Amino acid sequence: MPNAQTVRLALRRLGKQPGFALLAVLTLAVGIGPTTAVYAVFRQVLLRELPVHKPGEFLLLAQQSAYDTGSLNSYGGSQELYFAAPAYRTLRAAVPQLAAIARQPVNFATATEALQVNAQLVSGNYFSLLAERPALGRLFNDEDDRIHAANPVALLSESFWRSHFSASPAVLNLRVAVNGVLFTIVGVVPDEGFMGAAEPVSLFVPEAMQQAISLGRPDTEDDPLARWLLVLGRVPAGSARAQLESRLNGSWIAWRREVLHTRADKISNPAGWMKTSLHLTSGARGITLLKQRLGTPVLVLQAMAALVLLVTCANIASLLLARAAAQRSEMAVRACLGASRSEIVRSTITDALLLGGAGTAAGVALGWACLHLLLHMFAESDNYLVAALAAPWHWSVLLVAASAGVLTSLLFSLGPAVAHARVSPGEVLHSSHGVVGGTAARARGVMVAATIAGSLVLLLGASLMGWNLYRLSTTSPGFTPNHLLTFQVDESATGASRQRTAEVYTGLLASIAHERGVSTAAYAHEGLLSGDQMGSNISVAGRPNKDNDLEPNQNWVSAGFFKTLGVPVLRGREFADADTAASEPIAVVDQAFVRAFFDGDASRALGQHFGFGSGSTTSYPIRIVGVVPTIHEDSMHSLPSVPYLYLAYPQTYGKQSFFGNRHAAHFYIRTAGDPATFAADMRLLVHRADPRLPVLDLATMQEQVSGSIADTRLLAILSSALGVLAASLAAVGLYEVLAYQVTTRRREIGLRMAVGASRARVVRLLLGQMLRLTAGGLGAGALLALGAARLLASSMADLVPAPPLLYLGAALLLLLTALVAALVPARRAARVEPMEALRME
Amino acid sequence: MIALKQIERSYKTGAAQTFVLRNINLTIREGDFVTVMGPSGAGKSSLLNVLALLDDEWRGEYSLDGEQVHALSRKGRAELARRRIGMVFQSYHLLDDLTVAENIDLPLSYKNLPRAERQAMVADTLDRFQIVGKKDLYPSQLSGGQQQLVGIARAVIHSPALLLADEPTGNLHSAQAAEIMQLFRTLNEQGTTIVQVTHSELNATYGRRILELRDGWLTRDTAPAQGASGVHAS
Ligand SMILES: Nc1ncnc2c1ncn2[C@@H]1O[C@H](COP(=O)(O)OP(=O)(O)OP(=O)(O)O)[C@@H](O)[C@H]1O
Ligand SMILES: [Mg+2]
């Protein structure tokens, strides 16, 4: 290991070449910064464990069955993780260290404010299983399980308590309305729930209260065919998991058999129903919603950042090799004076470690700054991206930065160390003719080619992402997003009756339409581009169902919806005020629907009847009155994969959505001027309609559209930045190598001129060198990119390949950069005066 | 073949101007073998550089083979040098990563010659200098004398009319030097005009005419003065 003396000497050496040291530190920072920043996000999205005591001890139960039936209410994660409440109770009787949880977004209203928050329903033993202590008041216990539906107590999460109640102890015994039902706050708990940073939980209520806040959904507490609970367990390290698993399987199979008996009418495949097993999966990270949404893009980014780090390594290695060549005579003199090889190698490594340390520190600072910049840029986009970018700088992030620094410095000091170790004392006696380290020069060439290869891969990646962003941002959503404002309210979630809900929406719509500057307004149950969908199978009158019939998604929309959104009605008409609950049920369908059920013939679809469900008892009450184009209902990335049908909102109050009687309303307001200026008015109007009604997702439609492609934009921006970074590094590396060549090959260049080479010829010599390195790099890069493209195509199916010309352009850009980098040394070579260069040494 | 009229060459050193060649008037006939002598720093190399057209910054008149060099462009001079002049250096200046054959081929590679013709010329020259067996060796594998042999072979491969040599035997011991000088004499007999710089009286005996430079002045010329090319004694 280097001692103080070696370090002092190394510092002095570096101090004598501040330009070199600065360049090396900056280059390293540029390599380590992105790697560190992306790793912080990577950890947040893919590795972060729940902030609980010993997260590694947590398990999530998963079931695998050949056949299942009944309903499933999922809010993320694999479907295998969801259990019916009776199943949980049976399993818990066999293994006490199990708890159950579920998530539900709820309306949360105090006397002064109303919000939509995430609530987590938990079994009474949840907190004792987590070994959590209340920050205030009490937590739940087994008692809270017992009083089915009559125990309206709630806990606040500590962060919600701090942000919304200023950490006031007065929240204890406060009465709040949760989905319109009064609850008493009995405590505050330092827990953020099981869904990770993307969906932090603000409120905990006993799982036994599920029915009270479910807005009219049937009580599933005793329904063995309604799966909605996650079952988690805690197994101390070292105890026998296999044993636990078999015990659980025993009671699981017994329970399935019992259900098979009691619910025989509902289970059409008894053999498949019994072909089932339970297994334990890790619960250390909870339900990884962030990973599901952003896992692949973040992985891609991490790979790109790693590539930049490699490019940086190659670049610095080349820099240090040049310095090693320059220091060769110093090393030879030292070898003459009796320095051992190991001492010489040690001093080289000390140099590298010092540079590595400084570069790492600068890189961490750079990465931190970049991440904050990104967070600032994307603060408005969506909470998943924000949650990912708001990654904390955990010690492991710093560890990654430090190991990247140490590893790269050791790696890049290897070349120079070997070069130095080979210096023999005898070399001092020879004055070399500028053939310093032929192998070192070749090694530098390889390094430069490698940086070019890496840059090409990154630039091609950037082209791909850039193209996808371009395509998405130029894709018409199918409606006209400018001059459109949107927000969401949900009167039904305040516990209001259907009639009251309908009145509030109608009144609100009327008051909005009266605003000066508003041309039209409408509302729909599902928000456009929100990703939420509801669908069910249908049967068309006079058309036999087929096995491969698609299940259309549906949305419920008010009169004038299509006009407000700027969607043309291709055939027939859209909904009007006259379409009420009392009038004939009607629907508007999209072109995909016409293709799926009427062979694409819109005129045939008009006037036809259909009904929901299938089978002999199906009726066909709904008449098709209009056909509209297929629009980007749920995502900008692709058109819906299934047909869409639209029902008249007033005719849907008898229907149940996934959340029972929930009838949300996404309002769309077409304005004359800048829609953003109407935001405050909208809040005011909603407040007048119902002071307890929270306004959600208030934004212009343009913001929504660009928000829905924010992850693609992030990828495009970051990959371009990394690509440009790597290309600049490659250019700097190429410039250095060529400039160094011109210096060391002055004599050769002079001689070539003296025996007849023209200046143009000398320039060509240098450019030829550049071309060879660049071509080698481009070739290798293209091969690497092909491999990377394979991987990408399999993991990011949404991506469409860019036109080949764009890729060619990226390669040309790199070539051009290389040319510019070579121009200065080439011109310097052309200015060599043979007479000067050949002056006797 | 060569006529120099009032050639002057100076370097700016700070504010002052240092003359290294002063008022040089000189005629060299085709087939001559001239030796330039004089103390260190007298301007011998400077004169040779002017003759070789490597230097552009002199004043005066220089005609080579009837071409008025002073009136030629930089490119024109380079072209003229490429055709008519060969140079031999004290430290050989062979390229270390080229083989003997490739080093010899170098001047040809800068002319538009067909490949076959070039190969024939290289083979011919290797033969003439009796270094065929060494053609695939690298300079570092040769002795000093052999390296200079290659240097000369490279200088004459394109059959220049004028061969310029700056202390060609400066790094060689006497036996090797004698060999090189013998080679020069042979080349001269075959018609090449030679101008060599040397400190060696012995080497000078191979030539037919001796010039002496002192402080940039041409102070002695063993050739009979003729017309304007005579020596202007200081
Ligand atoms: N590039 C230059 N800048 C300034 N002065 C120069 C330069 N080149 C040569 N000189 C000067 O010109 C003078 C003549 O130099 P030159 O090389 O022609 O001498 P020389 O007669 O060849 O000497 P030697 O026998 O040592 O080779 C010297 O005083 C030298 O210092
Ligand atoms: Mg000289």
Side-chain angles (χ1 to χ4, degrees), chain B:
Chain B
M1 167 174 211
I2 291 175
L4 301 182
K5 247 188 232 169
Q6 291 171 4
I7 295 292
E8 307 225 303
R9 175 66 163 107
S10 61
Y11 286 103
K12 272 217 164 65
T13 43
Q17 195 145 20
T18 325
F19 278 86
V20 296
L21 291 177
R22 296 164 189 257
N23 195 23
I24 305 287
N25 294 290
L26 179 64
T27 318
I28 296 172
R29 271 185 317 234
E30 195 145 359
D32 217 346
F33 187 163
V34 180
T35 305
V36 183
M37 301 191 71
S40 193
K44 305 182 292 295
S45 297
S46 304
L47 179 62
L48 221 60
N49 283 336
V50 172
L51 290 177
L53 309 183
L54 284 180
D55 192 356
D56 282 327
E57 316 244 303
W58 43 266
R59 265 173 301 145
E61 291 177 18
Y62 174 11
S63 92
L64 174 64
D65 264 353
E67 298 261 18
Q68 299 303 308
V69 175
H70 45 271
L72 285 178
S73 67
R74 204 180 163 126
K75 236 179 157 170
R77 292 179 191 186
E79 176 56 35
L80 183 60
R82 197 170 11 238
R83 268 189 294 116
R84 311 290 296 163
I85 300 174
M87 273 207 95
V88 177
F89 308 92
Q90 175 175 356
S91 50
Y92 332 131
H93 286 317
L94 300 181
L95 296 190
D96 309 271
D97 44 4
L98 298 188
T99 62
V100 165
E102 287 165 345
N103 263 293
I104 292 177
D105 183 47
L106 205 56
L108 301 182
S109 71
Y110 297 121
K111 299 184 166 200
N112 291 324
L113 290 177
R115 206 182 160 71
E117 191 177 328
R118 263 170 66 180
Q119 279 169 346
M121 285 169 80
V122 170
D124 200 43
T125 308
L126 286 168
D127 201 33
R128 189 145 66 101
F129 285 77
Q130 295 170 352
I131 45 176
V132 179
K134 311 237 171 331
K135 72 179 170 63
D136 292 325
L137 296 184
Y138 287 91
S140 58
Q141 296 167 299
L142 300 178
S143 74
Q146 289 166 333
Q147 290 192 42
Q148 191 58 298
L149 215 55
V150 175
I152 296 168
R154 180 179 65 191
V156 301
I157 188 167
H158 59 296
S159 321
L162 177 62
L163 182 64
L164 301 171
D166 197 347
E167 300 187 38
T169 63
N171 290 353
L172 301 178
H173 59 74
S174 51
Q176 289 174 320
E179 230 172 283
I180 298 295
M181 280 303 117
Q182 195 52 52
L183 182 57
F184 272 29
R185 175 174 282 170
T186 316
L187 286 170
N188 180 242
E189 279 160 5
Q190 289 165 355
T192 310
T193 311
I194 297 180
V195 179
Q196 69 164 347
V197 170
T198 187
H199 287 287
S200 151
E201 295 286 348
L202 188 61
N203 284 359
T205 60
Y206 287 84
R208 292 184 233 186
R209 175 182 173 191
I210 295 175
L211 302 176
E212 192 184 66
L213 282 176
R214 272 173 198 278
D215 290 335
W217 298 99
L218 190 52
T219 50
R220 190 160 77 99
D221 188 349
T222 56
Q226 20 172 275
S229 68
V231 173
H232 299 258
S234 46

Side-chain angles (χ1 to χ4, degrees), chain A residues 571-641:
Chain A
R571 286 289 174 128
R573 65 170 181 94
E574 78 157 302
F575 302 113
D577 289 330
D579 300 312
T580 63
S583 62
E584 181 199 13
I586 54 167
V588 171
V589 299
D590 76 348
Q591 280 177 310
F593 187 100
V594 173
R595 267 197 306 280
F597 297 99
F598 300 98
D599 302 323
D601 187 349
S603 56
R604 240 182 65 207
L606 229 49
Q608 294 293 315
H609 286 78
F610 70 88
F612 291 102
S614 61
S616 50
T617 56
T618 311
S619 58
Y620 311 99
I622 306 167
R623 186 167 59 96
I624 297 171
V625 298
V627 176
V628 293
T630 298
I631 65 174
H632 284 267
E633 265 279 350
D634 34 66
S635 144
M636 282 305 293
H637 291 273
S638 54
L639 284 170
S641 56

Side-chain angles (χ1 to χ4, degrees), chain A residues 460 463 467 802-813:
Chain A
L460 292 183
S463 314
W467 174 255
L805 262 178
L806 193 64
Y807 295 136
L808 206 65
L812 274 180
L813 186 72

Side-chain angles (χ1 to χ4, degrees), chain A residues 656-734:
Chain A
Q656 291 225 326
S657 72
F658 289 128
F659 291 106
N661 289 333
R662 190 169 159 249
H663 278 74
H666 290 83
F667 276 81
Y668 296 94
I669 302 108
R670 189 158 290 285
T671 61
D674 177 4
T677 58
F678 291 79
D681 290 348
M682 292 305 135
R683 284 189 194 282
L684 200 68
L685 291 178
V686 172
H687 190 78
R688 263 187 221 150
D690 181 350
R692 296 168 312 150
L693 199 55
V695 175
L696 305 175
D697 304 330
L698 180 61
T700 70
M701 211 49 204
Q702 290 285 16
E703 287 166 347
Q704 289 250 308
V705 169
S706 79
S708 76
I709 59 175
D711 44 358
T712 305
R713 191 161 54 244
L714 182 71
L715 263 183
I717 289 178
L718 285 187
S719 60
S720 309
L722 293 178
V724 167
L725 206 63
S728 327
L729 286 177
V732 169
L734 188 69

